[in-house]
Amino acid sequence: MPMALLGRIEEESEKEGIVPYSMHVSSKYLDLTKKKLELTRLPREVELGEGRRWALGTPKSVLEGVLDYWLEHYDWRSQETHLNTALPQFRTTVTLLSSSTSAPSSRPSTSTSRRLRIHFVHKRSKHANAIPLLFCHTWPSSFLEAQKIIDALTDPQEVMGYGAGAQLAFHVVVPSIPGFGFSDAAGWEEFGVEETARAFDAVMGRLGYERYVTHGSGWGFSICRALALNHPEHCVAVHTANPTFAEPTFKRSPLAFLKYRVAKLTKARFSLLSFGYVPSELEKPPGTRLENPATAYDLLFCEGRPNPELARLYSHRPQTLAFSLCDSPIGLLAGLLDAIRTRAPAQSPVTSRSRSPFLSPSELELQDAHSAPDMEMQSAVQRGEPVSPRQSEANASHYTWSATEVLNWTMLQWLPGPEAGLRWLRRAHFDSAPTSPLSTSYCSVPLGISSFRARNSHGSSTPVMWGSAWSHVGWVKRHQRPASLPAWEAPDLLVLDMRECFGTFLSHGKLPNLPTRAT
């Protein structure tokens, strides 16, 4: 779908400038979407027990309810207006080097210049000492991933007794990966994680942020890692959530290997010999010993992401899959539901059903017990109001996505078309291969890690301090609340963690000379 149908942008006085951007989807395209939804033919499926509903993929019973809501109640125009108001959006053009080579295992040897328009959200803080923060979204999300935390990051309130960064504020920049959202798709096969990092670094430079910190989880963490490795003079610290690392080996990192062995031998019962490990992490899950480099690659760069099995499947033959998903909004919806594996999305109050009909009685009881405080805390976080760590951690329920939230995320894939995102996902797997610099290089830029409990059975999480073999781990916090996309499912805790993490780095002198002004 031509980008002209997807957005309205002010006249650009110069190609290198930054111009405001406002989403405005063509009414003809919205009508076409509705027709395709009305003509949807759903497949038959076998009956599975309640505990195995997701064993073969997205259940028909879950998808049917969201399809009905999409047709009968979902209003993109109201969501478009809200998002344009809540998220200040811009576009700018950056110049990158590209090559015509098609070899997936090597970097281009000869390059030509190509230009891409990058879409991004940029919200400035009113606080004088705010830190520039680059938020890198993952797949299959978009710039919407930062929607719930951006206000609290730019305008925080003091939280008593919550570390060095209790009042830390940020200037937040959330670029769309080329081919996602409203950024131009890269027209060459080799565009992946490292090229995305270069584009994002160029955007930060265009804004006047010569030094900045970054956050990203899933594939967003891969982009952050590429920034820290390739642009350490600009990217001075990284925070991530739910990374999963390969077990340290003596050959790769003797010190990290010996620390892990000592902690494992003592079961992390003695603080001086724990080296950052905790006893629960040393209860070895099955199959975490990694002798095969390919297995190590899957664990290091895939397992920490929402539904890594689906990500690998989508990345194998992206062009073949694109023919189906470009023509089917329901296909994209099913893929998103399978990627996040949420419980059946909660129905909007405007529907005839006050609750989701697909939850079991025990799930309904759990939902009733937690839905009110969940909504109250998330609203407080978005307003920048203080939430106590104890109150936040105590509300450790499973997050239930609303149907509107699921459809907003789906629309941000449907509008530009998923084909460029699928190609990017394939290249990202190549960029993260076991022998690539992204996988083998040690990164000295300080790394902070937030760890949340696994919400789904995507594979066992691994000890966060395994990451010391790959990066300079300088801050760690573990949570009991389950969340695989913390910026969306646990925004209150993530905001507090980011403040404390970067505040700690500041107090330890690890973030020198951060600029506070932007053009």
Side-chain angles (χ1 to χ4, degrees), residues 366 370 374 377 391-398 453 480-482:
L366 181 67
H370 291 293
D374 243 359
M377 281 202 303
Q391 174 193 7
S392 182
E393 192 65 69
N395 189 38
S397 62
H398 288 249
R453 284 202 300 118
Q480 290 303 307
R481 187 188 301 183

Side-chain angles (χ1 to χ4, degrees), residues 430-468:
F430 284 129
D431 288 347
S432 304
T435 57
S436 70
L438 191 62
S439 301
T440 58
S441 302
Y442 180 85
C443 183
S444 59
V445 171
L447 171 66
I449 299 175
S450 295
S451 176
F452 294 83
R453 284 202 300 118
R455 179 171 55 81
N456 301 312
S457 57
H458 291 161
S460 302
S461 59
T462 56
V464 294
M465 291 309 297
W466 280 7
S468 62

